[in-house]
Amino acid sequence: MARIEFEDVTKRYPDGTVAVHDLNMSIADGEFVILVGPSGCGKSTALRMVAGLEEISGGKLTIGDRVVNDLTPKERDIAMVFQSYALYPHMSVADNMGFALKLAKVDKSEINNRVKQAADILGLTEYLDRKPRALSGGQRQRVAMGRAIVRQPQAFLMDEPLSNLDAKLRVQMRAEIAQIQNRLGVTTIYVTHDQVEAMTMGDRVAVLKKGELQQVDSPQTLYDNPDNVFVAGFIGSPAMNLAEGRVERVGGRLVVRAGSIALGIPDGAVDRYPRVRDYEGRGVAVGMRPEHFYRPDGSVPPDQRFTVQVGLVEALGSELLVHVNTDAPPVLTEDTRQAIDDEAAFAELERSAAGGQSFTARFDPGTPPRVNEQIEVAFRGDYLHFFDLETGAALR
Amino acid sequence: MASSASTAPAPPAGAVPPGGERAKSREISVGALARLFVAPSIITMALVALFPILYAAYLSLFEYRGRQQQGFAGLDNYVDVLTGGRFWDAVITTLIFTVASVAFEFVIGMGFALLMNQAFVGRGVTRATILIPWVIPTVISAQMWFFMLNVNPGFINNLLGLGGFNWLGSEPWALVSIILADVWKTAPFVALLLLAGLQTIPEDMYEAARVDGATAWQRFTRITLPLLKPAIFVALLFRTVDSLRIFDLPAVMTGGSNGTTTLSVLVQRFIVAEPNPGVGATLSTLTFVVVLGIGVLFVGLIGRDLVIGDPED
């Protein structure tokens, strides 16, 4: 087990594309870190550089107390779980799991012991003699895990290991992997594009965009205090509503106006984003998470509520997702384009920008509003987020 | 179409549906239908492949003088051929040729295939270059080698400074020359077959092996070779069966002299040059039996699990 240290680690391809740019990150011994980001953000490349499958073009990568830049994968003593599992089809489950040990000339009985132990942890004991093709998808995934476990390596590297499983199995394996990692205490880097995996599995989450690290923090910190508009828009599902607004002072109080929506900025929000005071009379990107909307009663002051038209209602049983039409202009920057990670969706947003955008609000279950109905919604102003429109940086 | 009767709504119990008898008699089982569809291929195969084989076997039972059939000879031709030396000499020559050429073609073809499977600048040109010998008709490349192996002035003798070395006029060099020509021509074909196999092995298999600590050689022996087994089997089977029938190279380069009379050359000699079609047919039949036997042996030894499927499944 070991600490993993990225110092200005860079990946530049011969054609000049930079996949990973000056990555700096320190992963503690035994820590479970998730690399997350939209497609093409360099998360897999970063992982493959740790594995030694991708040459490091610049910077320094340390595993344990060795600089591994020029070491082969073999010398790095790491185990990797591939998205496709990459099981050897001609070997039995036991041979697949024991292959690395066999190559390392570990004693046969020792290999057997370790394979049995891992099989036990993963519930694979009765399948040890089978070939991979005679296994289900979930079992193959376990074998891939087992192959990593028996190695007792310095670190586990996992490249979207659950993306080939169906939704139900994914939920189950998600918990299992987290448990196994916790139990074995092996330093783990886990690449995913799945929000839920990112939020639930790791100690810390590193968010990447276009090869650059945006923020590394515990999932909750990331969610509550995003460093910039990209992280804000990327983390969270349904995503944070982001609108272009303007900070104004009305009767001694700060107000943010987005389209016809005007919300007072309470002290709680100013405490979290103190620089919002400097933006008086200027444009900002204002962020509102869906769960901080609520249906107001008469006692809610008018500067915390507004009237919108219902566009779509999704009743999920435990909650109610209501898409409401607003005239608040969307934030159309590279940050939000990356955060949406869907060219078609972003193009649609761009096309309809002049007419405002749709906000997603999450309400407690109850009588759902009807489509096209005008409803009043309120927002918990303390949870407003503010970012610079140009740089995307949080106004902290 | 066969199911049109069976998918019709079920008639009430006991009622005889109108035209029910007719519908029943038209119904064909799935198996029969499959046989019906395959029948044209089977018939064609029988006409072009099975008929000549059986006809040759039939002819081999007759005695000939010149091209004139003299009468039924029973197995006399077989007794003559199997007790005479020429057949066995040809068998040995053919086997030596087959083993040597297939072995070299396999090793060189594997090298080419591994090379062509790498991503590098100029891969397209390399692939095309490697495949050129295979595209040239054998008769032409045989003639080309014949010229190059000429004694004096000979390109190869000149190149290697061998003076008046007589490649095609001495044993065992005549056979060696023919093996060389065959390897030159057919190694690319083996490479092509193996390349097709290599490309089915996913890249992450090698990456997993690298992470598992396998050296390049270990990746080749533990991953590439086992996963390439089907392609290797096909390549070896094709090449072995093909080599056993070798005719054009010795026919053009040596005319079968100096220890290069293969089975096919011998057959041609008896049918055309001698001529004794009875013995020729006997030799053809025996050649067929040898090729068939080796083919069956191949499938039995190497390919059973590939042809029939892994018993573990």
Side-chain angles (χ1 to χ4, degrees), chain A residues 245-324:
Chain A
R246 204 180 152 76
V247 180
E248 288 167 5
R249 193 170 286 275
V250 178
R253 288 202 59 190
L254 281 176
V255 171
V256 62
R257 212 182 277 285
S260 60
I261 301 171
L263 289 171
I265 306 175
D267 292 345
V270 179
D271 285 347
R272 287 169 52 242
Y273 292 96
R275 281 174 57 212
V276 75
R277 281 184 295 243
D278 309 337
Y279 279 69
E280 205 183 307
R282 289 167 62 188
V284 290
V286 55
M288 291 170 266
R289 290 225 180 260
E291 62 271 29
H292 297 140
F293 287 97
Y294 61 102
R295 308 283 297 272
D297 55 25
S299 67
V300 176
D303 74 341
Q304 284 172 38
R305 57 183 175 173
F306 49 94
T307 305
V308 282
Q309 188 194 32
V310 175
L312 174 71
V313 180
E314 296 172 276
L316 301 177
S318 61
E319 64 192 28
L320 207 56
L321 291 183
V322 179
H323 302 258
V324 297

Side-chain angles (χ1 to χ4, degrees), chain B residues 82-142:
Chain B
L82 291 171
T83 53
R86 292 177 80 182
F87 171 72
W88 293 110
D89 283 349
V91 167
I92 289 167
T93 304
T94 309
L95 287 181
I96 292 173
F97 170 81
T98 302
V99 171
S101 62
V102 172
F104 281 110
E105 280 158 19
F106 177 69
V107 172
I108 295 171
M110 178 69 85
F112 282 168
L114 291 172
L115 185 69
M116 288 192 282
N117 198 35
Q118 300 298 314
F120 58 88
V121 185
R123 176 164 80 162
V125 177
T126 311
R127 283 186 181 186
T129 314
I130 286 175
L131 289 177
I132 286 174
W134 185 59
V135 209
I136 298 174
T138 314
V139 182
I140 293 173
S141 63

Side-chain angles (χ1 to χ4, degrees), chain A residues 48 51-53 73-74 78-80 82 84 86-91 96 99-100 102-103 129 131 133 147 151, chain B residues 202-215 218-219 221-227 309-313:
Chain A
R48 291 168 57 84
L53 295 172
K74 181 184 178 177
I78 36 83
M80 183 153 169
F82 291 81
S84 64
L87 301 179
Y88 310 122
H90 55 294
M91 297 182 199
N96 260 287
F99 187 57
K102 196 169 157 189
L103 292 176
D129 294 328
K131 293 272 174 66
R133 77 187 134 201
R147 201 159 63 171
R151 295 271 307 273
Chain B
E203 182 59 31
D204 55 14
M205 210 66 74
Y206 294 111
E207 294 186 338
R210 276 170 71 194
V211 172
D212 272 346
T215 60
Q218 284 169 328
R219 291 199 293 277
T221 56
R222 311 279 183 105
I223 307 294
T224 311
L225 281 184
L227 293 180
D310 197 327
E312 278 181 47
D313 284 353

